[in-house]
Amino acid sequence: MDQRRVDPRGALVRPYAVTRGRTEPRQDIALEAVLTASPTQVAESRFAGHDKHRIATVCEGRAQSLAEIAAYTRMPLGVARVLVADMVTESLLTLHTAAPAEGFEERMELLGRVLSGLRRL
């Protein structure tokens, strides 16, 4: 029987250390935003650290959402969000936005009117 004890604080300290204490990403990335990594980006990510290389490997050859990246790498979502935003800024990942920013308010207003009309039926 193994008598070694695991320090329960390790699980709390590590995510904080991975993001160097940051809790907010450099840019806002939606959970459903699609991210990819080219073979060149994966190769370059090796020099950015183990966690960033894992993320790039998950996105190589297959588009992944931010939520999927967190799940596949078993990282807390907040940590994945900070690292992915860093990687997009450093050109280690390519961000494909789900919808263009312009016209968003108009589309939301239209969807609201459609929903309102459906509720009346």
Side-chain angles (χ1 to χ4, degrees), residues 45-104:
S45 72
R46 291 182 331 173
F47 305 106
H50 175 72
D51 293 311
K52 288 183 178 179
H53 183 65
R54 274 188 0 192
I55 291 170
T57 302
V58 166
C59 295
E60 183 181 21
R62 202 165 64 167
Q64 303 288 347
S65 70
L66 176 58
E68 290 171 317
I69 292 169
Y72 287 136
T73 58
R74 296 181 186 251
M75 283 183 192
L77 185 57
V79 172
R81 180 176 285 188
V82 170
L83 292 179
V84 165
D86 288 351
M87 292 177 74
V88 169
T89 302
E90 297 163 1
S91 298
L92 295 175
L93 286 178
T94 303
L95 173 64
H96 306 275
T97 56
E102 62 275 350
F104 179 78

